[in-house]
Structures are given as structure tokens and as C-alpha cells.
Amino acid sequence: MKYILSPSFLSLDFTRAGEQIKAADEAGADWMHVDVMDGAFVPNISFGPPVIKSLRKATDKPFDVHLMIENPDRLIDAFVDAGANRITVHAETVYHLDRVLHSIKEAGCEAGVALNPATPLSTVENVLDLADMVLIMTVNPGYGGQKFIPYCYDKIRALRATIDERGLDTDIQIDGGAGRGNIREILEAGANVVVAGSAVFNGDIEDNVRFFKDVMNEFEGR
Ligand code: DX5
Ligand code: ZN
């Protein structure tokens, strides 16, 4: 299995954003996780297409854009134009999940579906073939630096079992509360894409990225 580390821009020091992104890139981060919050679906506001377009200049790594916004279908083109490579929408924010996933793909992007901790896996079962990734939120979305919710391990395990049973290669991403203390448990449960914000950008970025990637390489070699 291919393991991916996707550091979250939400934890950047924006006065030094370019420099910190380059440090994560050079240390071996695979993708860059871009958290978009609208102050409506989640109780916080982050940034939108113009900021993403500007940060796009700091790295060639894929931009994994996590839309925590209401009516994401209206803004897909704007995020594609800003440089998104993969766009993930929350199942809780769309009436027509199948249609939105198709329109993301038609716009030339990979498509993901995110589920809040309390949202059941059955919500995505019918679109597992269509989606490139399922994002299992392991905190309630809105803020960086929160604690990983333990019951999410069961969700990751159950989704991994379904994906393997059906012979699919859908990525399982987790987001929220990942760190040095639980990365092994997270990969063991079956996630292959890990978002980390504070655990990458707080402290020594290079050392943090290397730590995650060393564990991932160890799992890849199994
Ligand atoms: C939560 C965001 C996450 C968050 C992760 O709403 O979607 O991407 O920034 O931050 P950490 O890794 O600090 O929990
Ligand atoms: Zn996120």
C-alpha cells in the first residue's frame, strides 16, 4: 500500500508560509492539505481560492483541498482554477453526492468524500467506486490541534474491510489529532493518507515530516 503524508496549511505560520511549505516539501511530504472553512458548516473561517492560488507557487506537490463549506458544488471550478488536484466535499453538505463527485472529476480533479465523526459509513458505500478517497474526520472539523476521537479507529477498520472486500483502491484519509503517539495505530487500523497540521508545523518541520515518513516507509515495506 502507498502511504501519503499531507501536512495541513491550517497550522502554517502565515507570515512564513512559503518557507514552511518548502521545508515540508523538501523533507518528504507527499501532498499538501488545504483546509477551507466558511464559518457556516464549521465554526471557523480559514481561506479561499485567492490564497490557495498564491500558495500554489511555493510547491509542486499535489494540493489536497478539503472543503468544509456549505454548497461546495457552486465553487468547484474556482478551486480547480486555484490549483486543486484533489477536492474533498463533506457528505453532510451536499444533496447530490453522486453528481458532485462527477462534476469534480469532469473538472479534471480527483474526488473525495469526507464524513464527520458521527456520520455513518453507509453514507458513502454506494459511491466507493466513484470516489478516489474517503476522508474519515477524526475530530469535529473546525480547528487544528484537537484530540483524536478514539471510536474513529473502528470506522477506519470497517471501511478498510469494505474496500478490500470489494477489491477497490479507494484511499482512506484521516484528518485531525494525528501525531507521533498514534500514527502507528492509525496506519494499523487501515488509513493510508494522513493529514497532520500541528504535528508537522509546530516545532521542527523537517524532523516532524521525517518521523511520519519513516513510520510510513516501515509500513510500506511490510
Ligand atoms: C480540522 C481540519 C484539519 C486540521 C488538522 O477541521 O480539517 O485538517 O487542521 O489539524 P491537527 O493535525 O492539528 O489536528
Ligand atoms: Zn482537513
Side-chain angles (χ1 to χ4, degrees):
M1 187 147 42
K2 177 94 187 95
Y3 291 95
I4 303 283
L5 176 65
S6 195
S8 169
F9 284 177
L10 197 63
S11 297
L12 283 169
D13 170 355
F14 275 88
T15 61
R16 303 166 53 213
E19 178 192 317
Q20 293 194 334
I21 292 168
K22 278 200 183 75
D25 176 338
E26 282 163 16
D30 303 285
W31 298 351
M32 299 292 160
H33 186 77
V34 184
D35 281 313
V36 180
M37 302 178 174
D38 66 351
F41 175 59
V42 289
N44 196 5
I45 298 177
S46 58
F47 41 76
V51 173
I52 297 170
K53 195 170 194 158
S54 162
L55 297 176
R56 188 64 283 195
K57 291 178 278 189
T59 174
D60 291 329
K61 298 282 168 81
F63 271 23
D64 152 38
V65 177
H66 176 195
L67 298 183
M68 288 163 276
I69 63 175
E70 291 183 347
N71 303 309
D73 39 321
R74 292 190 305 200
L75 286 163
I76 300 300
D77 290 341
F79 288 104
V80 174
D81 291 345
N85 299 89
R86 180 171 291 219
I87 294 179
T88 299
V89 296
H90 268 263
E92 301 86 359
T93 63
V94 292
Y95 291 123
H96 306 289
L97 184 54
D98 180 280
R99 177 182 288 149
V100 177
L101 293 175
H102 276 290
S103 56
I104 294 171
K105 292 190 152 191
E106 276 156 23
C109 260
E110 294 171 330
V113 192
L115 299 177
N116 280 337
T119 305
L121 284 177
S122 56
T123 310
V124 295
E125 263 163 27
N126 291 321
V127 293
L128 280 183
D129 306 58
L130 181 58
D132 295 289
M133 180 168 83
V134 175
L135 164 48
I136 296 186
M137 287 305 303
T138 44
V139 297
N140 289 297
Y143 304 96
Q146 302 183 80
K147 233 174 108 34
F148 189 103
I149 297 172
Y151 67 71
C152 295
Y153 285 119
D154 284 340
K155 252 176 120 175
I156 303 168
R157 277 190 283 268
L159 181 60
R160 172 54 62 201
T162 306
I163 286 171
D164 288 354
E165 221 167 83
R166 287 170 56 178
L168 299 172
D169 63 353
T170 323
D171 289 317
I172 302 180
Q173 181 174 55
I174 67 93
D175 185 3
R180 293 183 185 230
N182 60 7
I183 179 63
R184 287 169 189 279
E185 245 173 310
I186 290 166
L187 302 186
E188 204 77 65
N192 71 302
V193 184
V194 175
V195 174
S198 40
V200 165
F201 290 112
N202 292 358
D204 185 333
I205 297 170
E206 191 180 325
D207 189 64
N208 292 337
V209 168
R210 292 232 168 102
F211 180 88
F212 279 105
K213 285 309 296 177
D214 282 350
V215 177
M216 289 179 164
N217 289 336
E218 185 191 311
F219 271 69
E220 224 159 80
R222 281 184 176 186

